[in-house]
Amino acid sequence: MRLGINLGYWGLGMDADNIAVAQEADRLGYSVCWAAEAYGSDAATVLSFVAAKTERIDVGSAIFQIPARTPAMTAMTAATLDTLSGGRFRLGLGVSGPQVSEGWYGVKFDKPLARTREYVEIIRKAMSRERLVHEGAHWTLPLPGGPGKPIKLTVHPVREHIPLYIAAIGPKNLEQTGEIADGWLGIFFSPEHAALSLDPLKAGRAKAGQSLDGFDLCPTVTIAVGEDIKAGVDSQRSYAALYIGGMGSKEKNFYNQLARRMGYEQAADEIQEKYLAKDYAGAAAAVPHDLIDATSLIGDTARIADRMQAYADEGVTTLTLAPSGFTLDERIQALRTGVEALELAGLA
């Protein structure tokens, strides 16, 4: 099992530290450094900066938002980043959510599965450097009846195949991810509830005539290092409440739905109700201890090593860490503990 690091969103006051974290992860042998985007920093610019400041570590988008770019633009960006980084780019995609898609990008959040499938098809055609022709429900290239003509990508990526990941939570999206992607970007993944994600992914791989062999299972987990388990769990409460309570509307919150499938229906209701009422402290307090502990790495090196083994036992191939600390020292310590725990578990 390999380790990754997720820098999260740029512009939160830790930007200089983010480069130091990426460089330390590079030095420690981490496999990949991911950056995210929502409606602040864009991931492509961040990743180009990180790639310029590192030597070996891959850089990956977790995620590029599908409503933010046309598929051809995403192919151009991926090819450019792969070239500039010397073949170190991984392309992670996701549909985002209805509030961001419609409120920020002005793109209707409809038929996300069909839109994702077409998006991936166009990207793969473009990056294969064949002339781009596509007829679908969401995109037609070239546009009919006009001056457009089939064009092919002029950039030559370092690799013939750039790994493509999809962030998926719901069962249907997970199944499609297994069918059309090279890897999966997960969140709030628990070894104890692994079947919720892995069964649909396996079904999708089977549709493509494949197994999970060679498919990169890549969940992001928060890591809080220390002897006090309760303090470590409490440090993650606001993060969990934001996603379960506030990432989406009351009717459509994918993270809230995931918590329900994990068996936390009552807590999911309470978290969302309090968060949407702007009782953020109450929402954080309502997140069950066990939910956070099951989806995070919390404790000393030995306890984290045990949890890493549980993830590996479920087939996770890249475990991406999101350090919980806000200081550079805390984040660097989490990185180093991650490596020590991986070695202690015999997974390095």
Side-chain angles (χ1 to χ4, degrees), residues 10-166:
W10 203 262
L12 298 181
M14 301 183 293
D15 299 345
D17 289 352
N18 278 337
I19 290 299
V21 168
Q23 290 173 329
E24 180 66 5
D26 191 21
R27 188 188 71 79
L28 290 169
Y30 275 64
S31 176
V32 59
C33 176
W34 303 96
E37 63 184 20
Y39 42 92
S41 58
D42 76 287
T45 306
V46 172
L47 293 171
S48 65
F49 190 38
V50 172
K53 297 289 186 178
T54 55
E55 298 177 2
R56 295 169 299 277
I57 194 169
D58 282 4
V59 293
S61 55
I63 55 167
F64 283 167
Q65 296 167 302
I66 285 175
R69 301 170 182 83
T70 66
M73 182 70 239
T74 296
M76 290 167 59
T77 304
T80 305
L81 280 167
D82 196 57
T83 303
L84 291 176
S85 66
R88 292 189 283 141
F89 179 64
R90 305 187 193 184
L91 174 58
L93 302 170
V95 293
S96 187
Q99 288 182 317
V100 174
S101 183
E102 299 190 11
W104 186 247
Y105 295 116
V107 175
K108 189 70 175 175
F109 191 83
D110 62 344
K111 299 181 179 178
L113 292 179
R115 186 180 296 272
T116 299
R117 183 180 290 271
E118 258 191 71
Y119 201 89
V120 169
E121 288 174 1
I122 296 170
I123 287 172
R124 291 204 190 279
K125 285 180 185 177
M127 290 199 297
S128 72
R129 303 194 66 249
E130 65 179 85
R131 293 196 179 275
L132 189 53
V133 177
H134 179 85
E135 292 187 15
H138 301 282
W139 290 276
T140 300
L141 301 168
L143 283 175
K149 63 180 182 179
I151 300 171
K152 68 178 181 180
L153 185 69
T154 61
V155 175
H156 292 253
V158 174
R159 296 164 296 168
E160 290 186 3
H161 184 84
I162 295 174
L164 188 150
Y165 296 70
I166 294 175

Side-chain angles (χ1 to χ4, degrees), residues 176-343:
Q176 180 170 276
T177 296
E179 183 183 357
I180 68 175
D182 302 307
W184 167 63
L185 299 173
I187 188 170
F188 295 116
F189 178 74
S190 160
E192 291 74 24
H193 299 90
L196 292 174
S197 302
L198 298 189
D199 285 354
L201 286 168
K202 289 175 183 175
R205 295 296 286 167
K207 278 187 176 181
Q210 303 285 335
S211 70
L212 286 178
D213 291 344
F215 186 84
D216 195 9
L217 295 173
C218 185
T220 290
V221 298
T222 55
I223 177 171
V225 181
E227 300 288 339
D228 189 337
I229 305 302
K230 182 180 182 302
V233 167
D234 288 346
S235 73
Q236 306 305 309
R237 289 188 175 279
S238 295
Y239 169 83
L242 167 64
Y243 279 82
I244 297 170
M247 283 289 194
S249 65
K250 184 173 178 59
E251 294 74 26
K252 189 165 286 189
N253 179 322
F254 305 123
Y255 310 97
N256 189 280
Q257 292 165 9
L258 175 60
R260 293 173 183 279
R261 289 195 296 274
M262 293 171 69
Y264 296 102
E265 294 93 342
Q266 184 175 345
D269 279 338
E270 184 179 358
I271 295 163
Q272 187 177 64
E273 180 181 343
K274 290 183 175 179
Y275 200 95
L276 294 180
K278 298 186 178 181
D279 179 8
Y280 304 129
V287 180
H289 176 106
D290 290 347
L291 189 158
I292 295 173
D293 196 21
T295 56
S296 309
L297 299 176
I298 296 174
D300 59 16
T301 304
R303 190 173 193 267
I304 289 172
D306 286 343
R307 291 302 292 165
M308 283 186 172
Q309 183 65 62
Y311 279 94
D313 288 345
E314 295 300 333
V316 170
T317 44
T318 303
L319 190 64
T320 296
L321 309 185
S324 65
F326 289 100
T327 70
L328 178 58
D329 286 346
E330 288 174 318
R331 298 171 77 196
I332 293 295
Q333 180 56 48
L335 283 178
R336 293 172 179 169
T337 299
V339 172
E340 292 168 2
L342 193 75
E343 292 174 347

